[in-house]
mmCIF file of all heavy atoms in Angstrom:
data_model
loop_
_atom_site.group_PDB
_atom_site.id
_atom_site.type_symbol
_atom_site.label_atom_id
_atom_site.label_comp_id
_atom_site.label_asym_id
_atom_site.label_seq_id
_atom_site.Cartn_x
_atom_site.Cartn_y
_atom_site.Cartn_z
ATOM 1 N N VAL A 1 37.252 -10.920 13.963
ATOM 2 C CA VAL A 1 37.271 -11.858 12.844
ATOM 3 C C VAL A 1 36.695 -11.219 11.581
ATOM 4 O O VAL A 1 37.108 -11.550 10.463
ATOM 5 C CB VAL A 1 36.544 -13.170 13.195
ATOM 6 C CG1 VAL A 1 35.037 -12.977 13.290
ATOM 7 C CG2 VAL A 1 36.868 -14.255 12.168
ATOM 8 N N THR A 2 35.772 -10.272 11.737
ATOM 9 C CA THR A 2 35.202 -9.608 10.565
ATOM 10 C C THR A 2 36.254 -8.774 9.856
ATOM 11 O O THR A 2 36.400 -8.844 8.626
ATOM 12 C CB THR A 2 33.996 -8.731 10.977
ATOM 13 O OG1 THR A 2 33.026 -9.544 11.635
ATOM 14 C CG2 THR A 2 33.360 -8.084 9.767
ATOM 15 N N VAL A 3 37.025 -7.982 10.604
ATOM 16 C CA VAL A 3 38.078 -7.190 9.970
ATOM 17 C C VAL A 3 39.248 -8.082 9.551
ATOM 18 O O VAL A 3 39.951 -7.781 8.587
ATOM 19 C CB VAL A 3 38.505 -6.018 10.870
ATOM 20 C CG1 VAL A 3 39.655 -5.233 10.239
ATOM 21 C CG2 VAL A 3 37.314 -5.080 11.090
ATOM 22 N N SER A 4 39.451 -9.204 10.218
ATOM 23 C CA SER A 4 40.420 -10.193 9.718
ATOM 24 C C SER A 4 39.999 -10.691 8.338
ATOM 25 O O SER A 4 40.834 -10.895 7.458
ATOM 26 C CB SER A 4 40.525 -11.374 10.690
ATOM 27 O OG SER A 4 41.383 -11.070 11.759
ATOM 28 N N TYR A 5 38.706 -10.904 8.165
ATOM 29 C CA TYR A 5 38.193 -11.283 6.845
ATOM 30 C C TYR A 5 38.488 -10.188 5.825
ATOM 31 O O TYR A 5 38.946 -10.461 4.710
ATOM 32 C CB TYR A 5 36.690 -11.558 6.940
ATOM 33 C CG TYR A 5 35.972 -11.650 5.613
ATOM 34 C CD1 TYR A 5 36.357 -12.592 4.654
ATOM 35 C CD2 TYR A 5 34.915 -10.792 5.318
ATOM 36 C CE1 TYR A 5 35.693 -12.678 3.438
ATOM 37 C CE2 TYR A 5 34.249 -10.873 4.108
ATOM 38 C CZ TYR A 5 34.648 -11.814 3.163
ATOM 39 O OH TYR A 5 33.998 -11.888 1.961
ATOM 40 N N PHE A 6 38.256 -8.927 6.204
ATOM 41 C CA PHE A 6 38.568 -7.822 5.296
ATOM 42 C C PHE A 6 40.071 -7.820 4.956
ATOM 43 O O PHE A 6 40.459 -7.561 3.815
ATOM 44 C CB PHE A 6 38.198 -6.480 5.925
ATOM 45 C CG PHE A 6 36.750 -6.309 6.268
ATOM 46 C CD1 PHE A 6 36.349 -5.320 7.160
ATOM 47 C CD2 PHE A 6 35.763 -7.114 5.709
ATOM 48 C CE1 PHE A 6 35.015 -5.141 7.491
ATOM 49 C CE2 PHE A 6 34.417 -6.944 6.026
ATOM 50 C CZ PHE A 6 34.050 -5.953 6.937
ATOM 51 N N GLU A 7 40.903 -8.096 5.971
ATOM 52 C CA GLU A 7 42.354 -8.135 5.743
ATOM 53 C C GLU A 7 42.713 -9.236 4.748
ATOM 54 O O GLU A 7 43.514 -9.028 3.834
ATOM 55 C CB GLU A 7 43.080 -8.368 7.075
ATOM 56 C CG GLU A 7 44.598 -8.408 6.953
ATOM 57 C CD GLU A 7 45.289 -8.592 8.295
ATOM 58 O OE1 GLU A 7 44.708 -8.206 9.337
ATOM 59 O OE2 GLU A 7 46.415 -9.135 8.306
ATOM 60 N N TRP A 8 42.103 -10.401 4.924
ATOM 61 C CA TRP A 8 42.349 -11.545 4.034
ATOM 62 C C TRP A 8 41.925 -11.217 2.604
ATOM 63 O O TRP A 8 42.642 -11.509 1.649
ATOM 64 C CB TRP A 8 41.582 -12.740 4.582
ATOM 65 C CG TRP A 8 41.655 -14.013 3.805
ATOM 66 C CD1 TRP A 8 42.691 -14.892 3.762
ATOM 67 C CD2 TRP A 8 40.604 -14.578 2.998
ATOM 68 N NE1 TRP A 8 42.353 -15.984 2.976
ATOM 69 C CE2 TRP A 8 41.077 -15.811 2.491
ATOM 70 C CE3 TRP A 8 39.310 -14.163 2.669
ATOM 71 C CZ2 TRP A 8 40.309 -16.626 1.665
ATOM 72 C CZ3 TRP A 8 38.550 -14.983 1.852
ATOM 73 C CH2 TRP A 8 39.046 -16.186 1.359
ATOM 74 N N VAL A 9 40.755 -10.583 2.457
ATOM 75 C CA VAL A 9 40.284 -10.159 1.131
ATOM 76 C C VAL A 9 41.285 -9.189 0.497
ATOM 77 O O VAL A 9 41.644 -9.319 -0.683
ATOM 78 C CB VAL A 9 38.885 -9.512 1.237
ATOM 79 C CG1 VAL A 9 38.504 -8.812 -0.066
ATOM 80 C CG2 VAL A 9 37.834 -10.555 1.602
ATOM 81 N N GLN A 10 41.741 -8.223 1.275
ATOM 82 C CA GLN A 10 42.717 -7.256 0.757
ATOM 83 C C GLN A 10 44.030 -7.940 0.372
ATOM 84 O O GLN A 10 44.643 -7.601 -0.652
ATOM 85 C CB GLN A 10 42.966 -6.167 1.812
ATOM 86 C CG GLN A 10 41.753 -5.280 2.088
ATOM 87 C CD GLN A 10 41.952 -4.417 3.316
ATOM 88 O OE1 GLN A 10 42.623 -3.391 3.261
ATOM 89 N NE2 GLN A 10 41.362 -4.818 4.439
ATOM 90 N N ASN A 11 44.464 -8.895 1.198
ATOM 91 C CA ASN A 11 45.688 -9.639 0.876
ATOM 92 C C ASN A 11 45.558 -10.401 -0.433
ATOM 93 O O ASN A 11 46.485 -10.432 -1.245
ATOM 94 C CB ASN A 11 46.013 -10.637 1.999
ATOM 95 C CG ASN A 11 46.461 -9.998 3.288
ATOM 96 O OD1 ASN A 11 46.366 -10.622 4.348
ATOM 97 N ND2 ASN A 11 46.949 -8.773 3.251
ATOM 98 N N ARG A 12 44.398 -11.029 -0.645
ATOM 99 C CA ARG A 12 44.206 -11.826 -1.853
ATOM 100 C C ARG A 12 44.128 -10.934 -3.091
ATOM 101 O O ARG A 12 44.566 -11.310 -4.174
ATOM 102 C CB ARG A 12 42.936 -12.677 -1.746
ATOM 103 C CG ARG A 12 42.857 -13.582 -0.529
ATOM 104 C CD ARG A 12 44.072 -14.490 -0.351
ATOM 105 N NE ARG A 12 44.259 -15.423 -1.426
ATOM 106 C CZ ARG A 12 43.670 -16.614 -1.527
ATOM 107 N NH1 ARG A 12 42.815 -16.992 -0.593
ATOM 108 N NH2 ARG A 12 43.933 -17.404 -2.535
ATOM 109 N N GLN A 13 43.553 -9.752 -2.941
ATOM 110 C CA GLN A 13 43.401 -8.837 -4.075
ATOM 111 C C GLN A 13 44.637 -7.958 -4.287
ATOM 112 O O GLN A 13 44.774 -7.343 -5.348
ATOM 113 C CB GLN A 13 42.178 -7.930 -3.853
ATOM 114 C CG GLN A 13 40.851 -8.667 -3.857
ATOM 115 C CD GLN A 13 39.681 -7.732 -3.598
ATOM 116 O OE1 GLN A 13 39.836 -6.656 -3.033
ATOM 117 N NE2 GLN A 13 38.492 -8.142 -4.012
ATOM 118 N N ARG A 14 45.490 -7.892 -3.249
ATOM 119 C CA ARG A 14 46.632 -6.959 -3.260
ATOM 120 C C ARG A 14 46.137 -5.528 -3.463
ATOM 121 O O ARG A 14 46.759 -4.720 -4.155
ATOM 122 C CB ARG A 14 47.663 -7.330 -4.325
ATOM 123 C CG ARG A 14 48.261 -8.724 -4.194
ATOM 124 C CD ARG A 14 49.031 -8.900 -2.871
ATOM 125 N NE ARG A 14 49.989 -9.998 -2.954
ATOM 126 C CZ ARG A 14 49.707 -11.260 -2.653
ATOM 127 N NH1 ARG A 14 48.476 -11.589 -2.281
ATOM 128 N NH2 ARG A 14 50.641 -12.198 -2.728
ATOM 129 N N PHE A 15 45.002 -5.224 -2.841
ATOM 130 C CA PHE A 15 44.416 -3.886 -2.920
ATOM 131 C C PHE A 15 43.885 -3.552 -1.536
ATOM 132 O O PHE A 15 43.085 -4.316 -0.971
ATOM 133 C CB PHE A 15 43.282 -3.850 -3.950
ATOM 134 C CG PHE A 15 42.673 -2.485 -4.123
ATOM 135 C CD1 PHE A 15 43.256 -1.545 -4.959
ATOM 136 C CD2 PHE A 15 41.520 -2.131 -3.435
ATOM 137 C CE1 PHE A 15 42.704 -0.280 -5.111
ATOM 138 C CE2 PHE A 15 40.958 -0.872 -3.576
ATOM 139 C CZ PHE A 15 41.565 0.057 -4.419
ATOM 140 N N TYR A 16 44.308 -2.410 -0.981
ATOM 141 C CA TYR A 16 44.054 -2.133 0.430
ATOM 142 C C TYR A 16 43.094 -0.967 0.628
ATOM 143 O O TYR A 16 43.084 -0.012 -0.144
ATOM 144 C CB TYR A 16 45.390 -1.912 1.159
ATOM 145 C CG TYR A 16 46.167 -3.209 1.223
ATOM 146 C CD1 TYR A 16 46.964 -3.611 0.152
ATOM 147 C CD2 TYR A 16 46.022 -4.066 2.304
ATOM 148 C CE1 TYR A 16 47.631 -4.833 0.181
ATOM 149 C CE2 TYR A 16 46.685 -5.282 2.346
ATOM 150 C CZ TYR A 16 47.484 -5.661 1.286
ATOM 151 O OH TYR A 16 48.124 -6.879 1.314
ATOM 152 N N TRP A 17 42.277 -1.080 1.680
ATOM 153 C CA TRP A 17 41.206 -0.129 1.948
ATOM 154 C C TRP A 17 41.640 0.939 2.941
ATOM 155 O O TRP A 17 42.503 0.705 3.799
ATOM 156 C CB TRP A 17 39.994 -0.837 2.555
ATOM 157 C CG TRP A 17 39.437 -1.976 1.771
ATOM 158 C CD1 TRP A 17 39.782 -2.375 0.505
ATOM 159 C CD2 TRP A 17 38.425 -2.891 2.206
ATOM 160 N NE1 TRP A 17 39.040 -3.466 0.127
ATOM 161 C CE2 TRP A 17 38.196 -3.801 1.155
ATOM 162 C CE3 TRP A 17 37.680 -3.014 3.374
ATOM 163 C CZ2 TRP A 17 37.263 -4.831 1.243
ATOM 164 C CZ3 TRP A 17 36.752 -4.029 3.467
ATOM 165 C CH2 TRP A 17 36.542 -4.924 2.418
ATOM 166 N N ALA A 18 40.991 2.091 2.880
ATOM 167 C CA ALA A 18 41.162 3.128 3.893
ATOM 168 C C ALA A 18 40.430 2.712 5.172
ATOM 169 O O ALA A 18 39.477 1.936 5.138
ATOM 170 C CB ALA A 18 40.608 4.458 3.394
ATOM 171 N N GLU A 19 40.877 3.245 6.298
ATOM 172 C CA GLU A 19 40.265 2.888 7.587
ATOM 173 C C GLU A 19 38.774 3.228 7.610
ATOM 174 O O GLU A 19 37.973 2.486 8.190
ATOM 175 C CB GLU A 19 40.975 3.614 8.727
ATOM 176 C CG GLU A 19 40.467 3.208 10.099
ATOM 177 C CD GLU A 19 41.283 3.788 11.237
ATOM 178 O OE1 GLU A 19 42.259 4.525 10.959
ATOM 179 O OE2 GLU A 19 40.953 3.501 12.398
ATOM 180 N N GLU A 20 38.387 4.318 6.982
ATOM 181 C CA GLU A 20 36.978 4.705 6.949
ATOM 182 C C GLU A 20 36.124 3.615 6.312
ATOM 183 O O GLU A 20 35.050 3.275 6.813
ATOM 184 C CB GLU A 20 36.813 6.018 6.178
ATOM 185 C CG GLU A 20 35.385 6.535 6.151
ATOM 186 C CD GLU A 20 35.247 7.842 5.388
ATOM 187 O OE1 GLU A 20 36.232 8.274 4.741
ATOM 188 O OE2 GLU A 20 34.154 8.431 5.426
ATOM 189 N N LYS A 21 36.612 3.018 5.209
ATOM 190 C CA LYS A 21 35.849 1.949 4.558
ATOM 191 C C LYS A 21 35.785 0.714 5.449
ATOM 192 O O LYS A 21 34.739 0.058 5.547
ATOM 193 C CB LYS A 21 36.466 1.589 3.206
ATOM 194 C CG LYS A 21 35.763 0.398 2.562
ATOM 195 C CD LYS A 21 36.184 0.119 1.151
ATOM 196 C CE LYS A 21 35.422 -1.089 0.621
ATOM 197 N NZ LYS A 21 35.579 -1.336 -0.794
ATOM 198 N N VAL A 22 36.911 0.379 6.095
ATOM 199 C CA VAL A 22 36.926 -0.779 6.994
ATOM 200 C C VAL A 22 35.866 -0.609 8.085
ATOM 201 O O VAL A 22 35.070 -1.522 8.350
ATOM 202 C CB VAL A 22 38.324 -0.957 7.620
ATOM 203 C CG1 VAL A 22 38.294 -2.025 8.721
ATOM 204 C CG2 VAL A 22 39.350 -1.334 6.560
ATOM 205 N N ASN A 23 35.843 0.558 8.712
ATOM 206 C CA ASN A 23 34.889 0.786 9.806
ATOM 207 C C ASN A 23 33.447 0.806 9.318
ATOM 208 O O ASN A 23 32.539 0.326 10.009
ATOM 209 C CB ASN A 23 35.233 2.086 10.524
ATOM 210 C CG ASN A 23 36.506 1.976 11.345
ATOM 211 O OD1 ASN A 23 36.954 0.885 11.680
ATOM 212 N ND2 ASN A 23 37.103 3.112 11.668
ATOM 213 N N GLU A 24 33.226 1.346 8.119
ATOM 214 C CA GLU A 24 31.865 1.348 7.561
ATOM 215 C C GLU A 24 31.384 -0.075 7.298
ATOM 216 O O GLU A 24 30.241 -0.432 7.615
ATOM 217 C CB GLU A 24 31.835 2.158 6.259
ATOM 218 C CG GLU A 24 31.892 3.658 6.439
ATOM 219 C CD GLU A 24 31.952 4.400 5.115
ATOM 220 O OE1 GLU A 24 31.986 3.716 4.055
ATOM 221 O OE2 GLU A 24 31.980 5.640 5.123
ATOM 222 N N GLU A 25 32.251 -0.897 6.701
ATOM 223 C CA GLU A 25 31.873 -2.282 6.406
ATOM 224 C C GLU A 25 31.679 -3.082 7.688
ATOM 225 O O GLU A 25 30.772 -3.919 7.784
ATOM 226 C CB GLU A 25 32.930 -2.937 5.514
ATOM 227 C CG GLU A 25 32.956 -2.418 4.088
ATOM 228 C CD GLU A 25 31.684 -2.776 3.334
ATOM 229 O OE1 GLU A 25 31.178 -3.902 3.489
ATOM 230 O OE2 GLU A 25 31.182 -1.906 2.591
ATOM 231 N N LEU A 26 32.511 -2.816 8.682
ATOM 232 C CA LEU A 26 32.356 -3.505 9.961
ATOM 233 C C LEU A 26 31.012 -3.150 10.596
ATOM 234 O O LEU A 26 30.280 -4.031 11.058
ATOM 235 C CB LEU A 26 33.492 -3.124 10.916
ATOM 236 C CG LEU A 26 33.354 -3.634 12.357
ATOM 237 C CD1 LEU A 26 33.266 -5.157 12.403
ATOM 238 C CD2 LEU A 26 34.507 -3.130 13.214
ATOM 239 N N GLU A 27 30.668 -1.878 10.599
ATOM 240 C CA GLU A 27 29.393 -1.462 11.180
ATOM 241 C C GLU A 27 28.224 -2.126 10.462
ATOM 242 O O GLU A 27 27.269 -2.587 11.099
ATOM 243 C CB GLU A 27 29.252 0.066 11.125
ATOM 244 C CG GLU A 27 27.956 0.561 11.738
ATOM 245 C CD GLU A 27 27.922 2.061 11.957
ATOM 246 O OE1 GLU A 27 28.931 2.730 11.650
ATOM 247 O OE2 GLU A 27 26.898 2.564 12.447
ATOM 248 N N ARG A 28 28.295 -2.203 9.143
ATOM 249 C CA ARG A 28 27.216 -2.842 8.378
ATOM 250 C C ARG A 28 27.064 -4.310 8.787
ATOM 251 O O ARG A 28 25.936 -4.783 8.998
ATOM 252 C CB ARG A 28 27.503 -2.737 6.875
ATOM 253 C CG ARG A 28 26.425 -3.362 6.000
ATOM 254 C CD ARG A 28 26.699 -3.106 4.525
ATOM 255 N NE ARG A 28 27.900 -3.774 4.056
ATOM 256 C CZ ARG A 28 27.952 -5.064 3.694
ATOM 257 N NH1 ARG A 28 26.869 -5.814 3.773
ATOM 258 N NH2 ARG A 28 29.077 -5.596 3.264
ATOM 259 N N HIS A 29 28.178 -5.025 8.892
ATOM 260 C CA HIS A 29 28.109 -6.441 9.264
ATOM 261 C C HIS A 29 27.536 -6.622 10.674
ATOM 262 O O HIS A 29 26.700 -7.515 10.905
ATOM 263 C CB HIS A 29 29.498 -7.079 9.187
ATOM 264 C CG HIS A 29 29.865 -7.585 7.834
ATOM 265 N ND1 HIS A 29 30.232 -6.758 6.799
ATOM 266 C CD2 HIS A 29 29.922 -8.844 7.332
ATOM 267 C CE1 HIS A 29 30.498 -7.480 5.723
ATOM 268 N NE2 HIS A 29 30.307 -8.741 6.019
ATOM 269 N N ILE A 30 27.983 -5.812 11.640
ATOM 270 C CA ILE A 30 27.530 -5.971 13.023
ATOM 271 C C ILE A 30 26.056 -5.595 13.156
ATOM 272 O O ILE A 30 25.276 -6.295 13.817
ATOM 273 C CB ILE A 30 28.402 -5.142 13.983
ATOM 274 C CG1 ILE A 30 29.854 -5.645 13.967
ATOM 275 C CG2 ILE A 30 27.838 -5.186 15.396
ATOM 276 C CD1 ILE A 30 30.038 -7.097 14.386
ATOM 277 N N VAL A 31 25.635 -4.505 12.514
ATOM 278 C CA VAL A 31 24.226 -4.094 12.593
ATOM 279 C C VAL A 31 23.332 -5.139 11.927
ATOM 280 O O VAL A 31 22.275 -5.508 12.463
ATOM 281 C CB VAL A 31 24.027 -2.706 11.967
ATOM 282 C CG1 VAL A 31 22.540 -2.373 11.836
ATOM 283 C CG2 VAL A 31 24.726 -1.636 12.807
ATOM 284 N N ASP A 32 23.745 -5.642 10.758
ATOM 285 C CA ASP A 32 22.963 -6.696 10.093
ATOM 286 C C ASP A 32 22.871 -7.941 10.971
ATOM 287 O O ASP A 32 21.806 -8.578 11.069
ATOM 288 C CB ASP A 32 23.583 -7.064 8.741
ATOM 289 C CG ASP A 32 23.360 -5.997 7.680
ATOM 290 O OD1 ASP A 32 22.589 -5.049 7.930
ATOM 291 O OD2 ASP A 32 23.971 -6.110 6.598
ATOM 292 N N ALA A 33 23.988 -8.308 11.599
ATOM 293 C CA ALA A 33 23.992 -9.491 12.459
ATOM 294 C C ALA A 33 23.099 -9.283 13.678
ATOM 295 O O ALA A 33 22.387 -10.199 14.101
ATOM 296 C CB ALA A 33 25.420 -9.821 12.898
ATOM 297 N N PHE A 34 23.129 -8.082 14.240
ATOM 298 C CA PHE A 34 22.266 -7.782 15.393
ATOM 299 C C PHE A 34 20.797 -7.906 14.997
ATOM 300 O O PHE A 34 19.993 -8.492 15.728
ATOM 301 C CB PHE A 34 22.558 -6.370 15.917
ATOM 302 C CG PHE A 34 21.850 -6.055 17.203
ATOM 303 C CD1 PHE A 34 22.460 -6.292 18.419
ATOM 304 C CD2 PHE A 34 20.559 -5.528 17.201
ATOM 305 C CE1 PHE A 34 21.797 -6.021 19.617
ATOM 306 C CE2 PHE A 34 19.887 -5.254 18.382
ATOM 307 C CZ PHE A 34 20.514 -5.502 19.604
ATOM 308 N N GLU A 35 20.446 -7.383 13.837
ATOM 309 C CA GLU A 35 19.053 -7.469 13.384
ATOM 310 C C GLU A 35 18.642 -8.920 13.147
ATOM 311 O O GLU A 35 17.506 -9.311 13.442
ATOM 312 C CB GLU A 35 18.879 -6.637 12.116
ATOM 313 C CG GLU A 35 18.981 -5.133 12.388
ATOM 314 C CD GLU A 35 18.951 -4.295 11.124
ATOM 315 O OE1 GLU A 35 18.967 -4.886 10.011
ATOM 316 O OE2 GLU A 35 18.911 -3.049 11.232
ATOM 317 N N GLY A 36 19.579 -9.740 12.636
ATOM 318 C CA GLY A 36 19.286 -11.162 12.456
ATOM 319 C C GLY A 36 19.063 -11.864 13.776
ATOM 320 O O GLY A 36 18.171 -12.723 13.902
ATOM 321 N N LEU A 37 19.861 -11.504 14.787
ATOM 322 C CA LEU A 37 19.690 -12.074 16.123
ATOM 323 C C LEU A 37 18.317 -11.706 16.685
ATOM 324 O O LEU A 37 17.605 -12.563 17.222
ATOM 325 C CB LEU A 37 20.804 -11.553 17.033
ATOM 326 C CG LEU A 37 20.808 -11.968 18.515
ATOM 327 C CD1 LEU A 37 22.233 -11.975 19.043
ATOM 328 C CD2 LEU A 37 19.974 -11.022 19.361
ATOM 329 N N ILE A 38 17.944 -10.430 16.558
ATOM 330 C CA ILE A 38 16.651 -9.979 17.093
ATOM 331 C C ILE A 38 15.501 -10.668 16.359
ATOM 332 O O ILE A 38 14.491 -11.058 16.975
ATOM 333 C CB ILE A 38 16.522 -8.445 16.988
ATOM 334 C CG1 ILE A 38 17.566 -7.773 17.881
ATOM 335 C CG2 ILE A 38 15.112 -7.993 17.340
ATOM 336 C CD1 ILE A 38 17.475 -8.131 19.344
ATOM 337 N N ASP A 39 15.637 -10.851 15.060
ATOM 338 C CA ASP A 39 14.588 -11.529 14.291
ATOM 339 C C ASP A 39 14.376 -12.947 14.806
ATOM 340 O O ASP A 39 13.230 -13.391 14.987
ATOM 341 C CB ASP A 39 14.966 -11.538 12.807
ATOM 342 C CG ASP A 39 13.877 -12.167 11.947
ATOM 343 O OD1 ASP A 39 12.737 -11.668 11.974
ATOM 344 O OD2 ASP A 39 14.169 -13.166 11.251
ATOM 345 N N ALA A 40 15.483 -13.680 15.060
ATOM 346 C CA ALA A 40 15.363 -15.038 15.594
ATOM 347 C C ALA A 40 14.782 -15.017 17.004
ATOM 348 O O ALA A 40 13.914 -15.833 17.359
ATOM 349 C CB ALA A 40 16.730 -15.721 15.599
ATOM 350 N N TYR A 41 15.258 -14.090 17.825
ATOM 351 C CA TYR A 41 14.797 -13.966 19.216
ATOM 352 C C TYR A 41 13.284 -13.762 19.283
ATOM 353 O O TYR A 41 12.588 -14.405 20.091
ATOM 354 C CB TYR A 41 15.533 -12.786 19.857
ATOM 355 C CG TYR A 41 15.108 -12.420 21.255
ATOM 356 C CD1 TYR A 41 15.482 -13.197 22.347
ATOM 357 C CD2 TYR A 41 14.364 -11.254 21.491
ATOM 358 C CE1 TYR A 41 15.110 -12.846 23.641
ATOM 359 C CE2 TYR A 41 13.988 -10.893 22.779
ATOM 360 C CZ TYR A 41 14.367 -11.690 23.844
ATOM 361 O OH TYR A 41 13.995 -11.339 25.117
ATOM 362 N N GLU A 42 12.773 -12.899 18.415
ATOM 363 C CA GLU A 42 11.340 -12.599 18.436
ATOM 364 C C GLU A 42 10.514 -13.663 17.710
ATOM 365 O O GLU A 42 9.439 -14.043 18.176
ATOM 366 C CB GLU A 42 11.097 -11.215 17.819
ATOM 367 C CG GLU A 42 11.695 -10.078 18.646
ATOM 368 C CD GLU A 42 11.447 -8.710 18.030
ATOM 369 O OE1 GLU A 42 11.046 -8.664 16.848
ATOM 370 O OE2 GLU A 42 11.659 -7.699 18.731
ATOM 371 N N SER A 43 11.022 -14.157 16.573
ATOM 372 C CA SER A 43 10.258 -15.116 15.773
ATOM 373 C C SER A 43 10.060 -16.443 16.491
ATOM 374 O O SER A 43 8.983 -17.050 16.427
ATOM 375 C CB SER A 43 10.961 -15.360 14.431
ATOM 376 O OG SER A 43 11.052 -14.175 13.679
ATOM 377 N N TYR A 44 11.132 -16.919 17.166
ATOM 378 C CA TYR A 44 11.062 -18.220 17.837
ATOM 379 C C TYR A 44 10.704 -18.102 19.311
ATOM 380 O O TYR A 44 10.628 -19.123 20.001
ATOM 381 C CB TYR A 44 12.403 -18.954 17.694
ATOM 382 C CG TYR A 44 12.754 -19.358 16.281
ATOM 383 C CD1 TYR A 44 13.608 -18.582 15.512
ATOM 384 C CD2 TYR A 44 12.228 -20.516 15.707
ATOM 385 C CE1 TYR A 44 13.946 -18.949 14.204
ATOM 386 C CE2 TYR A 44 12.551 -20.890 14.414
ATOM 387 C CZ TYR A 44 13.412 -20.106 13.668
ATOM 388 O OH TYR A 44 13.742 -20.469 12.393
ATOM 389 N N GLU A 45 10.530 -16.856 19.791
ATOM 390 C CA GLU A 45 10.241 -16.613 21.214
ATOM 391 C C GLU A 45 11.278 -17.311 22.095
ATOM 392 O O GLU A 45 10.958 -18.068 23.018
ATOM 393 C CB GLU A 45 8.826 -17.061 21.562
ATOM 394 C CG GLU A 45 7.753 -16.307 20.783
ATOM 395 C CD GLU A 45 6.339 -16.735 21.146
ATOM 396 O OE1 GLU A 45 6.190 -17.730 21.880
ATOM 397 O OE2 GLU A 45 5.388 -16.062 20.710
ATOM 398 N N ILE A 46 12.528 -17.021 21.802
ATOM 399 C CA ILE A 46 13.664 -17.621 22.508
ATOM 400 C C ILE A 46 13.893 -16.853 23.818
ATOM 401 O O ILE A 46 13.759 -15.637 23.854
ATOM 402 C CB ILE A 46 14.912 -17.578 21.601
ATOM 403 C CG1 ILE A 46 14.655 -18.405 20.326
ATOM 404 C CG2 ILE A 46 16.144 -18.108 22.332
ATOM 405 C CD1 ILE A 46 15.731 -18.272 19.280
ATOM 406 N N PRO A 47 14.250 -17.559 24.893
ATOM 407 C CA PRO A 47 14.342 -16.881 26.199
ATOM 408 C C PRO A 47 15.510 -15.912 26.356
ATOM 409 O O PRO A 47 15.469 -15.042 27.228
ATOM 410 C CB PRO A 47 14.460 -18.038 27.197
ATOM 411 C CG PRO A 47 14.964 -19.193 26.397
ATOM 412 C CD PRO A 47 14.394 -19.021 25.027
ATOM 413 N N ASN A 48 16.582 -16.073 25.570
ATOM 414 C CA ASN A 48 17.713 -15.153 25.728
ATOM 415 C C ASN A 48 18.426 -14.945 24.396
ATOM 416 O O ASN A 48 18.243 -15.693 23.441
ATOM 417 C CB ASN A 48 18.692 -15.647 26.814
ATOM 418 C CG ASN A 48 19.268 -17.011 26.492
ATOM 419 O OD1 ASN A 48 19.914 -17.204 25.474
ATOM 420 N ND2 ASN A 48 19.028 -17.978 27.375
#
């Protein structure tokens, strides 16, 4: 869904990205999301 979002953005702009940029942006989103998950897990002392 993240790269689908990138596809939708490119469709709306009529400007397309290289695969390297797509993968870099995807990695940034997933790593940021993972860090957000860990922050919640530790801050709220959630069991899983």
Side-chain angles (χ1 to χ4, degrees):
V1 71
T2 303
V3 177
S4 278
Y5 167 58
F6 299 162
E7 181 178 334
W8 178 77
V9 168
Q10 294 168 79
N11 290 158
R12 305 307 297 275
Q13 294 179 338
R14 301 298 201 271
F15 182 83
Y16 292 84
W17 305 352
E19 185 173 0
E20 183 180 8
K21 175 171 180 171
V22 171
N23 289 341
E24 285 176 358
E25 289 294 320
L26 172 59
E27 181 168 359
R28 181 174 66 82
H29 274 75
I30 297 300
V31 171
D32 287 351
F34 188 92
E35 290 174 354
L37 178 152
I38 295 301
D39 183 58
Y41 175 75
E42 294 180 346
S43 299
Y44 294 98
E45 299 181 351
I46 298 172
N48 60 60

